[in-house]
Amino acid sequence: MAHLNTVLGTLHPEEMGITAVHEHILFGPPGWEADPGAWFKMGKVFEKCYNDLMDFKLQGGATFIDASGIGSGRELDVHIKLASATGLHVVASTGFLGELFTAPHFHARDADYFETLFVHELTVGMGRTRVKAGVINAGGGAQPMTRLEAAQHRGAARAARKTGAAVMTHAINALDEQLAIFREEKLDPARIILGGCDTRLDLERDKRVAKAGCYVAYDHVGLESWSRMAHALPDQRRAELVKAMLDAGLGDRLIVSAGSSGWVLGQGEDHLSNVGNVLRYFVPRLAAAGVAEADVRRIFADNPKRVLPIQ
Amino acid sequence: MKVETLTGPVAPQDLGIVAMREHLLLGRHGWHWAPEVRFDRAAAFESVLARLEAFKKRGGGTLVDASGITLGRNVPFYRRLSELSGVHIVASTGFGEQSSSIPGHFLGRAYRVSTDARQHWVREIPGHFYSSHGESKEYLMFLFYNELTEGMAAPCMIRTGIKAGIVQTGSAWDGVSRLEEFSIRAAAMAARHAGVSVITTSAGQARRHFELLSAEGLEAQRIVIGHCDDARAVDLGRDRSFAEKGAYVAYDHIGWEKDAPHAMADDERVALVKAMVQAGYAERVVLSSSAVGAAMGLPASSHGYERLLADFVPRLDRAGIGEAVLETLLVDTPRRLLAASQDEEAAEQLRAFAEGFRSASRQQRWDV
Amino acid sequence: MAITVNGPVPDDRLGIVAAHEHLLYGLPGWHDDPAVLFDRPKVFDALLAALREFKAAGGNSLMDASGTLCGRDPEFLKALSAAAGINIIASCGLGAQELIPGYFGLPLAERALREQRRDGEPPLWIPDAGYIGGMLGAEMSDGMPMAGMVRSRACAGFVLCACSAQPASEIEEMAIRGAAMAARRHDVPLRLEGGAHAPRLFPLITAEGLAAGRVVIGHCDDARCLDSARDRELASQGAYVAYDHVGWQDGSPHAMPDAQRVQQVKDMVAAGYAERVLLSCGTVGCGLGVPASKHGVSHLLKDFVPRLSGAGVGDSALHTLLVENPRRLFAQL
């Protein structure tokens, strides 16, 4: 039976509602805990994350996918507390976001190792807990893909086939290599969410992969400012991309999210994007660009409901 | 004069056929701490949805969930099920039997500080764990009243805007404890002020329940004595006497034919219904099946909500109960019971009283 | 004076010192691996037994070389030290490139990417040698960080650094220079593990003002890069040369029979550098996702020392190697 694994237990797809597909509660590369310069007051950060999530909920949000993956800020006790305190359905993920986000212990491993690890996290529990992950990340960005990242992608594809989970990628630069690996591993394109399609623009690419069945995610909504982030883009352009994909009849493959973080470990507050703002500002932009309400519903509720549950 | 449901207020004439006493989820308070109880939310959703859809398919329109505050109620879960199935769901507030549904927080303790500064527990009193100012049925009353007028509590300190539409209350089979007495009295007070009905959970202490509810001024027309088809306490004389006073009796375990001490054959239930109809009390009888959609740490029922309509109604029909009486049993009586009728003046008095009570109790709590 | 996990101990009270061991050791990230089970009380018991055996054999102090990132648990070490009656001197430091987690490397990669694309401002924070030096210094003056963003009161007592390639990567070089700065500022020893690169990195370290007599060139008994000329050269410059993988005789690329180590020691003593040699076993007491070593910390005193005696290394020389040299490493210069 198709279901979502949340940090509080399973969830029926019909309970998902409006879903933020690619977000983070705490996020940052491993190693920050060794540097007291990166430390923070947990109470203060919890409150900030709580406010962000409640804002999302009050804007109509119901489900929140944390894409931090292993060792990159996936603090499960915080997720669990936030889920209970807000009533949102919070999903944590397994997988890695690329070599720099992979702690040394997990280097020098092969695809079989990663497959076993991801399957364990999806079916038994994350780390040593009994809280199951709901989706698999695979990231990177170097061209060509490093050996480690290729092994992680391969392991992710195999784990996805074995468990029925979806794979969410964070490495649009290495798209061709990623898709080649997924094809070799016979992963159904309809189980793949390609993140970061709004960080390196190519509408023809997006159409091509969507026609093949993959989901195209414009998941950096709000990241407009050119200062400090290498892949910023005015939201107006994102709205145009969404409209173009809808006009091409590919609305069933669209995912929109903010890729925001409640707190960036080692950096602090993420002032640039905010999960609630996707519903507050971007949805009206879409409406102004001529996107129908039914299509907004499709992007934020129906598509996530179709792709994310473990099936 | 609307009925508060999980998806908002509904006009009484839109309720259709009503099952007055069912359970979507059911578990004793604390089930979620038991490692052996596996709650697969997704599977439970699927299971309850299937039973609701079957009920609707057979003509069902509305279902009243009898889990009260602590026996497994989950407001967002219920609402989504109602939306998807198209069945109106009325949730209940209130407590039932102490041992399964009233957690220790509500057992107040009075203590006295002795001269050598050691504290002693004097006795357990109902009200609130930290209260030192005495027994308080008002505390429990407001607990229920706020759920009826402001919204039900959801896990982790959230008050939803979704209101309960009826109050459950009751006690153990063989007696009414001090706390249960307070809970029943509080249920009556809350129902009276909010203009809703009270339904009791068991028949073992039926007369005492009725006494307590009436003592707090709840009129008979707002009282449903539940589970009068409990095999251990079948008593037509009792049922007629309640009906005569203007109260209602519920034969609400249709389908529970074996595997429980209270079970009895549905044909016997038909006989009870027939007897009440023949005595002229068709308008005082309520029917339901106390079926369970998904259970946590308790046995589920093998039958679902549609049993009432798919199986029991045909039996009644075969026993000669006509269409008009069936309409009364399944539509008119429930509609009368569920339509709220709030007395504005009483509500205003209560609001004033509430303010005073809240500030007084808050102060006393911190004086401890 | 040596800073142990339970406070300062005068260098002349250190006794016999095992100069390079690992009580707990794992690669950063081991705790996220569901397959790695850490039965804390059981491990404590096992390590306590090993340390008691070391003590019974004459040992008194131990330098734990897990650094900041590789499985160190300050409170665990404190309790173990007190229970065993063995001084434990813990280390801080980042280690070789492959052990440095992304937190330190990511900002450098970001900056490189932006410079390449010529857009955007640099990341908010980029590490540099000074930052790392400050971070390590705080471990020695204020206490070692623990899980949960808390600083233990136990302070580190020496600094580690390592290099795995030529040239050292940007972050490795920052880590080495930062380690040297911290060691100089707090006047503590520094252990460099650099294999064949050690001679090239030694001047980088002393350029930060650290005295040669505080520098230990570790793992000079690495079978892959044995070089007695190197050892003599470094010793002549005043550094310590450590043969600190005694007992690693097979099963690893760096392993070699102890008999060869005996010869290394004899050669250094004969060349007049007895006062520049340190000995240890480099054991892994409890491996967290890595295998524990087959030999324990007592191997040094129960197995290797008799071999040295048997090979003609006299008692006075043994005393120098095991007691005097470590004492001098920590003593006032």
Side-chain angles (χ1 to χ4, degrees):
Chain A
M1 193 201 72
H3 64 278
L4 203 57
N5 284 334
T6 79
V7 296
L8 294 182
T10 62
L11 190 76
H12 198 278
E14 288 296 338
E15 286 207 83
M16 282 172 67
I18 290 177
T19 300
V21 176
H22 170 202
E23 306 294 340
H24 303 274
I25 292 173
L26 301 179
F27 172 63
W32 63 271
E33 62 278 356
D35 179 6
W39 289 2
F40 54 90
K41 289 271 174 281
M42 183 54 90
K44 179 176 145 214
V45 166
F46 184 89
E47 186 172 351
K48 200 263 172 190
C49 295
Y50 173 84
N51 290 337
D52 286 350
L53 288 179
M54 277 311 272
D55 182 47
F56 173 63
K57 183 176 178 165
L58 291 169
Q59 297 293 314
T63 301
F64 180 103
I65 317 295
D66 178 282
S68 292
I70 299 174
S72 296
R74 187 182 72 184
E75 303 281 328
L76 285 176
D77 37 11
V78 175
H79 292 190
I80 289 168
K81 204 69 205 164
L82 284 170
S84 340
T86 59
L88 284 176
H89 306 299
V90 174
V91 176
S93 40
T94 183
F96 296 92
L97 297 172
E99 187 148 328
L100 276 169
F101 288 90
T102 305
H105 175 89
F106 297 100
H107 288 229
R109 308 282 184 175
D110 60 16
D112 286 336
Y113 175 88
F114 289 121
E115 180 193 346
T116 306
L117 176 61
F118 301 157
V119 167
H120 178 94
E121 294 216 324
L122 290 157
T123 59
V124 178
M126 291 179 276
R128 251 157 262 103
T129 69
R130 282 290 192 259
V131 180
K132 297 176 190 162
V135 68
I136 313 171
N137 286 315
Q143 267 174 303
M145 216 186 258
T146 70
R147 185 214 64 82
L148 179 67
E149 287 166 0
Q152 289 170 343
H153 277 73
R154 209 170 280 286
R158 293 179 192 168
R161 286 197 62 202
K162 211 172 224 173
T163 59
V167 174
M168 186 151 58
T169 72
H170 308 270
I172 201 67
N173 292 346
L175 179 71
D176 293 329
E177 268 185 87
Q178 284 179 322
L179 291 180
I181 292 175
F182 292 152
R183 217 176 299 120
E184 272 166 43
E185 295 296 330
K186 300 195 176 45
L187 181 62
D188 177 4
R191 305 306 293 127
I192 303 168
I193 303 168
L194 298 168
C197 292
D198 58 345
T199 62
R200 193 181 186 164
L201 302 184
D202 188 344
L203 184 58
E204 292 315 307
R205 168 202 69 204
D206 297 348
K207 286 182 184 167
R208 175 172 45 92
V209 297
K211 284 191 186 120
C214 297
Y215 286 78
V216 166
Y218 300 129
D219 54 7
H220 289 72
V221 170
L223 207 60
E224 297 195 284
S225 163
W226 277 100
S227 87
R228 287 177 37 222
M229 294 306 283
H231 43 258
L233 180 77
D235 271 349
Q236 189 51 40
R237 298 283 308 280
R238 285 188 185 88
E240 288 162 11
L241 286 170
V242 170
K243 185 81 175 38
M245 290 290 278
L246 283 166
D247 290 342
L250 298 164
D252 267 2
R253 289 291 175 259
L254 279 176
I255 297 286
V256 172
S257 208
S260 67
S261 302
W263 187 265
V264 181
L265 299 159
Q267 298 278 1
E269 276 192 48
D270 177 9
H271 291 293
L272 301 175
S273 53
N274 173 292
V275 59
N277 285 345
V278 181
L279 302 174
R280 178 184 281 110
Y281 297 130
F282 194 70
V283 166
R285 251 190 218 282
L286 289 177
V291 175
E293 200 174 319
D295 286 326
V296 170
R297 176 111 209 130
R298 193 150 54 127
I299 294 168
F300 287 99
D302 302 334
N303 292 349
K305 185 171 83 176
R306 200 182 317 110
V307 66
L308 282 169
I310 290 175
Q311 45 211 261
Chain B
M1 271 261 278
K2 296 269 197 166
V3 178
E4 292 293 345
T5 76
L6 264 294
T7 47
V10 167
Q13 55 268 34
D14 294 337
L15 295 175
I17 290 177
V18 181
M20 278 293 294
R21 200 171 185 287
E22 308 292 339
H23 299 282
L24 274 73
L25 295 174
L26 182 68
R28 278 187 228 95
H29 179 80
W31 65 266
H32 49 99
W33 287 310
E36 76 279 6
V37 177
R38 302 235 173 286
F39 180 55
D40 181 335
R41 186 181 172 132
F45 189 93
E46 187 97 344
S47 163
V48 182
L49 183 62
R51 289 196 159 171
L52 286 171
E53 284 172 339
F55 176 69
K56 182 146 179 91
K57 207 162 166 193
R58 287 288 180 174
T62 299
L63 186 146
V64 180
D65 177 85
S67 302
I69 298 176
T70 48
L71 291 175
R73 185 185 75 189
N74 184 325
V75 172
F77 189 86
Y78 285 12
R79 180 173 61 180
R80 189 69 190 124
L81 283 166
S82 178
E83 278 171 7
L84 267 185
S85 63
V87 175
H88 298 298
I89 296 172
V90 177
S92 53
T93 182
F95 294 136
E97 181 181 350
Q98 180 173 339
S99 65
S100 61
S101 70
I102 313 187
H105 173 84
F106 296 102
L107 271 162
R109 282 172 163 78
Y111 62 92
R112 123 187 94 75
V113 179
S114 68
T115 47
D116 63 22
R118 270 176 302 166
Q119 297 173 343
H120 301 274
W121 301 121
V122 172
R123 64 183 195 280
E124 290 193 346
I125 56 157
H128 180 251
F129 187 79
Y130 297 106
S131 92
S132 67
H133 67 284
E135 304 161 338
S136 171
K137 59 184 189 259
E138 281 81 8
Y139 191 90
L140 293 179
M141 175 189 70
F142 279 114
L143 195 73
F144 309 149
Y145 180 76
N146 291 335
E147 291 218 320
L148 295 163
T149 56
E150 281 178 39
M152 292 179 278
C156 230
M157 301 184 280
I158 294 172
R159 189 180 288 283
T160 68
I162 300 170
K163 306 172 178 97
I166 194 168
V167 189
Q168 294 287 313
T169 198
S171 72
W173 178 257
D174 43 17
V176 179
S177 73
R178 198 172 179 72
L179 179 55
E180 283 164 344
E181 179 182 324
F182 273 64
S183 166
I184 293 167
R185 288 179 182 274
M189 291 160 69
R192 179 163 59 82
H193 287 288
V196 301
S197 302
V198 170
I199 180 163
T200 69
T201 57
S202 64
Q205 300 296 312
R207 288 192 179 80
R208 182 89 180 107
H209 294 169
F210 184 82
E211 252 170 49
L212 292 168
L213 292 167
S214 308
E216 292 300 337
L218 187 64
E219 52 179 5
Q221 283 92 319
R222 287 275 168 215
I223 298 176
V224 182
I225 304 297
H227 208 355
C228 290
D229 56 341
D230 187 320
R232 299 166 292 182
V234 172
D235 185 347
L236 260 177
R238 167 202 68 205
D239 298 352
R240 279 203 300 264
S241 112
F242 282 133
E244 199 164 336
K245 294 191 176 86
Y248 297 82
V249 295
Y251 301 128
D252 57 24
H253 275 65
I254 289 162
W256 288 88
E257 295 201 282
K258 46 188 194 300
D259 300 325
H262 57 67
M264 72 180 180
D266 272 347
D267 280 334
E268 285 181 53
R269 283 187 187 86
V270 169
L272 286 174
V273 177
K274 204 164 169 190
M276 288 294 278
V277 170
Q278 279 166 348
Y281 294 126
E283 291 183 340
R284 298 278 144 221
V285 171
V286 164
L287 298 179
S288 211
S289 55
S290 294
V292 178
M296 292 84 73
L298 283 174
S301 56
S302 46
H303 62 287
Y305 316 123
E306 85 287 358
R307 168 89 175 214
L308 166 70
L309 304 172
D311 190 274
F312 197 71
V313 162
R315 284 183 204 249
L316 288 174
D317 186 56
R318 284 197 293 279
I321 307 284
E323 273 297 319
V325 174
L326 284 172
E327 180 85 0
T328 299
L329 292 167
L330 297 170
V331 182
D332 302 329
T333 297
R335 188 181 64 231
R336 264 201 322 280
L337 280 167
L338 291 174
S341 59
Q342 191 161 40
D343 177 353
E344 271 312 311
E345 201 188 307
E348 192 44 55
Q349 279 176 356
L350 189 66
R351 262 192 288 278
F353 177 70
E355 263 321 297
F357 178 80
R358 263 194 280 275
S359 46
S361 71
R362 200 167 294 144
Q363 203 165 7
Q364 272 154 335
R365 203 175 306 156
W366 298 118
D367 281 350
V368 170
Chain C
M1 192 67 78
I3 309 297
T4 77
V5 295
N6 283 319
V9 168
D11 44 88
D12 57 3
R13 302 268 291 279
L14 291 173
I16 291 179
V17 180
H20 173 81
E21 305 295 335
H22 305 277
L23 290 160
L24 300 171
Y25 184 78
L27 299 177
W30 68 266
H31 55 91
D32 279 327
D33 188 340
V36 177
L37 299 165
F38 178 47
D39 185 338
R40 201 181 171 100
K42 195 161 152 203
V43 168
F44 189 92
D45 241 3
L47 293 177
L48 183 58
L51 288 179
R52 282 183 171 149
E53 196 187 321
F54 176 62
K55 191 171 177 81
N60 202 51
S61 303
L62 178 153
M63 293 169 68
D64 181 274
S66 296
T68 302
L69 300 165
C70 293
R72 183 186 70 187
D73 185 327
E75 295 297 311
F76 190 89
L77 295 177
K78 278 173 70 91
L80 197 57
S81 171
I86 295 280
N87 298 312
I88 297 176
I89 302 161
S91 55
C92 60
L94 298 182
Q97 169 74 47
E98 31 321 338
L99 295 179
I100 302 180
Y103 170 74
F104 297 96
L106 185 66
L108 298 172
E110 270 269 300
R111 184 186 60 186
L113 177 70
R114 293 215 201 132
E115 279 168 6
Q116 207 184 75
R117 292 171 50 157
R118 269 185 272 277
D119 61 36
E121 291 163 19
L124 273 180
W125 172 78
I126 304 177
D128 60 29
Y131 187 90
I132 293 176
M135 200 180 97
L136 300 180
E139 295 208 30
M140 293 185 286
S141 56
D142 302 340
M144 294 180 274
M146 308 192 294
M149 295 184 283
V150 180
R151 225 187 248 283
S152 166
R153 284 218 284 250
C155 295
F158 72 107
V159 189
L160 292 181
C161 58
C163 170
S164 56
Q166 153 102 305
S169 69
E170 191 176 0
I171 190 70
E172 260 179 351
E173 191 177 310
M174 286 182 190
I176 292 168
R177 289 182 45 232
M181 289 176 192
R184 179 186 54 76
R185 199 171 310 131
H186 296 269
D187 194 25
V188 296
L190 173 147
R191 179 181 185 277
L192 166 72
E193 174 141 358
H197 315 294
R200 187 177 43 84
L201 295 167
F202 181 66
L204 202 70
I205 289 166
T206 51
E208 296 297 335
L210 186 63
R214 287 274 187 255
V215 180
V216 179
I217 309 297
H219 208 356
C220 290
D221 55 339
D222 184 335
R224 298 167 293 191
C225 54
L226 297 172
D227 187 346
S228 51
R230 169 200 68 200
D231 298 353
R232 284 194 304 269
E233 175 55 35
L234 289 163
S236 74
Q237 294 187 46
Y240 289 89
V241 166
Y243 302 126
D244 54 18
H245 279 64
V246 174
W248 287 89
Q249 307 200 59
D250 54 36
S252 299
H254 63 75
M256 70 184 189
D258 274 351
Q260 280 183 253
R261 289 185 181 87
V262 169
Q263 196 54 51
Q264 282 184 302
V265 175
K266 281 189 76 173
D267 291 345
M268 287 294 272
V269 170
Y273 292 123
E275 293 185 344
R276 293 280 131 225
V277 171
L278 290 170
L279 299 176
S280 207
C281 291
T283 56
V284 173
C286 167
L288 302 160
V290 298
S293 57
K294 283 179 273 196
H295 59 299
V297 75
S298 311
H299 178 91
L300 178 70
L301 300 173
K302 290 172 89 165
D303 195 280
F304 195 65
V305 161
R307 276 191 202 250
L308 287 173
S309 295
V313 178
D315 280 352
S316 155
L318 285 171
H319 191 259
T320 300
L321 293 167
L322 296 169
V323 179
E324 282 303 313
N325 292 351
R327 184 193 64 73
R328 214 180 310 109
L329 183 64
F330 286 98
Q332 190 98 31
L333 279 175

